[in-house]
Amino acid sequence: MLDVFALETMRFAAVATALVGFVASYFGVFIVQRRMAFLGSGLAHAAFGGVALGIFLDAQPLITAVPFTVAAAIAIVWLRERSALAEDTVIGVLFAVAMALGIIFIQLRPGYVGDANVYLFGSVLWITRTDVYLAGALAAGTVCTAPLWGAWAYASFDRNLAKTDRLRVAWHDYALACAMAVVIVVSMKIIGMLLIAAFLVIPAATARLLSHSFRVMTLLSIAIGSVTPVFGFFLAHAADVPPGAMIILVQAILFFAALAVRKRS
Amino acid sequence: MSGIAVSVERVSVRLGDYEALRGVSFAVPEGAFVAIIGPNGAGKTTLLNVILGLQTPDNGTVTVFGGHPSDLAPTALGYVPQVKTLDRTFPGHAIELVVSGIRRGWPWRISAAERAIALKSMERTGVARLADRPISKLSGGELQRVYLARSLAREPKLLVLDEPGAGMDVSAEADMYHLLDAYRRANGATVLMITHDWEGARVHASHVLLMERGLAAFGAPEEVAREDRLLKVFGYAGHQAATHRSNADA
């Protein structure tokens, strides 16, 4: 089974997948606890608009997708703070706009749908050394946010309590949404836009079912998020199916097992 | 020292199309125990949010110890929110909640010194035995007392409580009043508390703030709890309930 690593592309893909799994599962604990799963889905759609812009401009899609998705994340948080609209409404509007732009961009550049499919469904064959470095940089950046864990956890528990303690809750919201945006864009090539929201949520949701402390939830989520992509990767290779889908299925099996354990206890 | 802990002048707040507060003015002396009472929708929680700096008034000014509410040092403020607003699915233990009040962040690890301070405060509110119990497994009354321990652990000079007696049994509620009163007297602290407990307010509070979107009355309990005012603010049923309690007590 280890022959999967004979190819350099496969080695790149396995390392990049484990790294983005670590990052996604770390941010996932805050997303799950704040009930922001729909934001992940919305940002994935927004990222597709950014990728399509890159294809339209004949540029590297990641170069356009990162600022495009970060801008969408900032817009969602800003509108949620400043308007009387609910977050799901704001996300629903913005991701539809981003998708519409994406469809138009791709339509204006016929012959480039292959690139778009990679980002929609994920493909390990397109992962390059640059992607591994990018995932590594993302993981390093995530480790650097560790001092913010206490503030993010506190605001996830009770926003108003955190505000009365003069925590800059809105600033943390922007930081968290921007981090999500970057994670989503970098993970898209591997997992695919259609499944990326689940990749952010399932490890943390599984950890939540098995934890009575936020610290344990965080550690468990990271463990699940970092290890399951490697298993999923092997199984996908053996079954000759897309790795993104297999990774999500492996994570989902763990989730349902945790659900059963929780119900018994 | 100004002698005034909280000053509210002509404060109005609109929440969408709803006018939650209309031209509210009053001044709370330092060391006062103020019970804020009024029917549902009277603007009690909105008023607390303005005082806490969580809500910006559309008109009027609020000062806390002479400064803007957001300038108050966090350690000078103890806030006990309504338990019903708490996310009970949050994976945490009672002692972590108390330590979050000391540290102003959720603890990754709790030091021996933090644990000692937290347990001492939990002892005061009678919940030290629940220190390592998950938040999701606490009753409403137990959680209120954990929140109270969290606020007292930082020894604030202003305590703001939003219906702290909700979910508590009669004995626990009486203990809470005595604890708040003792803390206030020992530390010269000011207490602002939303409550639906007329009897507790009448016995323990130095001032009662009666609300009905605007300010209906502010002053000593016996002065505010006049029949005409209660009838006006609460209507017939509320007035009957309040006066029945007072008569039964007399």
Side-chain angles (χ1 to χ4, degrees), chain A residues 14-190:
Chain A
V15 173
T17 308
L19 286 170
V20 294
F22 157 72
V23 176
S25 56
Y26 175 72
F27 288 112
V29 296
F30 305 107
I31 292 164
V32 165
Q33 208 54 51
R34 292 172 180 223
R35 296 178 169 83
M36 287 165 63
F38 190 47
L39 177 59
S41 190
L43 290 179
H45 286 75
F48 180 74
V51 166
L53 178 62
I55 293 170
F56 174 66
L57 296 174
D58 209 11
Q60 167 61 250
L62 284 184
I63 292 172
T64 49
V66 170
F68 193 92
T69 315
V70 166
I74 291 169
I76 288 168
V77 176
W78 190 85
L79 280 171
R80 188 193 64 196
E81 293 283 322
R82 309 285 170 119
S83 75
L85 295 170
E87 183 175 81
D88 60 347
T89 309
V90 173
I91 294 168
V93 171
L94 282 185
F95 93 58
V97 170
M99 278 297 283
L101 286 171
I103 290 165
I104 290 170
F105 290 145
I106 287 176
Q107 194 65 36
L108 291 174
R109 287 297 299 261
Y112 283 82
V113 286
D115 278 14
N117 282 341
V118 168
Y119 289 95
L120 274 172
F121 303 107
S123 172
V124 292
L125 297 175
W126 287 61
I127 294 170
T128 62
R129 188 184 291 272
T130 309
D131 292 316
V132 178
Y133 290 151
L134 206 57
L138 190 63
T142 301
V143 171
C144 291
T145 68
L148 294 173
W149 181 90
W152 285 353
Y154 193 27
S156 301
F157 171 66
D158 190 322
R159 289 174 65 81
N160 278 348
L161 214 52
K163 280 182 183 174
T164 59
D165 271 337
R166 310 304 173 222
L167 251 67
R168 299 168 71 184
V169 174
W171 186 90
H172 289 301
D173 284 348
Y174 282 114
L176 196 52
C178 290
M180 275 177 75
V182 177
V183 173
I184 284 167
V185 173
V186 176
S187 313
M188 268 176 85
K189 253 192 189 178
I190 301 161

Side-chain angles (χ1 to χ4, degrees), chain B:
Chain B
M1 195 177 286
S2 67
I4 296 295
V6 177
S7 170
V8 175
E9 288 180 40
R10 296 184 300 281
V11 163
S12 298
V13 175
R14 290 195 76 85
L15 303 173
D17 295 330
Y18 178 71
E19 188 176 40
L21 293 175
R22 187 192 312 136
V24 175
S25 296
F26 62 91
V28 177
E30 282 186 35
F33 188 150
V34 181
I36 303 170
I37 56 178
N40 293 334
K44 304 183 294 294
T45 298
T46 305
L47 176 65
L48 283 198
N49 286 341
V50 169
I51 292 168
L52 290 166
L54 298 175
Q55 173 85 44
T56 306
D58 296 311
N59 288 301
T61 55
V62 177
T63 58
V64 180
F65 296 110
H68 191 273
S70 59
D71 294 336
L72 182 67
T75 49
L77 172 70
Y79 171 48
V80 179
Q82 284 186 34
V83 163
K84 66 185 178 192
T85 63
L86 170 73
D87 176 8
R88 278 177 171 270
T89 68
F90 190 86
H93 295 91
I95 195 159
E96 290 177 305
L97 179 52
V98 176
V99 171
S100 75
I102 301 166
R103 193 184 284 195
R104 298 195 293 129
W106 200 262
W108 179 267
R109 279 185 187 282
I110 296 173
S111 70
E114 285 173 330
R115 190 172 177 85
I117 296 168
L119 284 175
K120 189 179 166 195
S121 193
M122 293 177 89
E123 198 76 57
R124 286 162 94 176
T125 62
V127 287
R129 67 195 160 80
L130 306 174
D132 296 313
R133 189 175 289 184
I135 292 169
S136 59
K137 293 187 176 172
L138 296 174
S139 73
E142 288 169 341
L143 199 49
Q144 287 286 15
R145 286 188 282 162
V146 170
Y147 261 118
L148 192 56
R150 176 189 179 280
S151 291
L152 294 177
R154 54 216 271 179
E155 302 194 337
K157 59 178 183 175
L158 176 63
L159 258 172
V160 177
L161 309 100
D162 196 344
E163 296 186 35
M168 286 187 189
D169 58 41
V170 178
S171 159
E173 199 171 2
D175 287 346
M176 178 195 70
Y177 276 117
H178 287 299
L179 177 66
L180 288 174
D181 223 5
Y183 177 79
R184 174 178 73 102
R185 289 176 196 282
N187 297 275
T190 307
V191 179
L192 301 182
M193 180 178 75
I194 292 177
T195 181
H196 292 291
D197 175 18
W198 277 90
E199 191 180 331
R202 194 174 57 77
V203 173
H204 296 279
S206 63
H207 297 71
V208 171
L209 202 155
L210 182 60
M211 294 202 57
E212 191 196 20
R213 295 204 199 178
L215 183 70
F218 178 66
E222 60 278 7
E223 188 189 318
V224 172
R226 274 182 8 215
E227 284 199 20
D228 57 327
R229 283 187 176 136
L230 299 180
L231 200 57
K232 181 173 175 285
V233 172
F234 284 93
Y236 180 75
H239 162 255
Q240 289 293 304
T243 50
H244 172 74
R245 271 188 164 175
S246 297
N247 290 339
D249 232 40

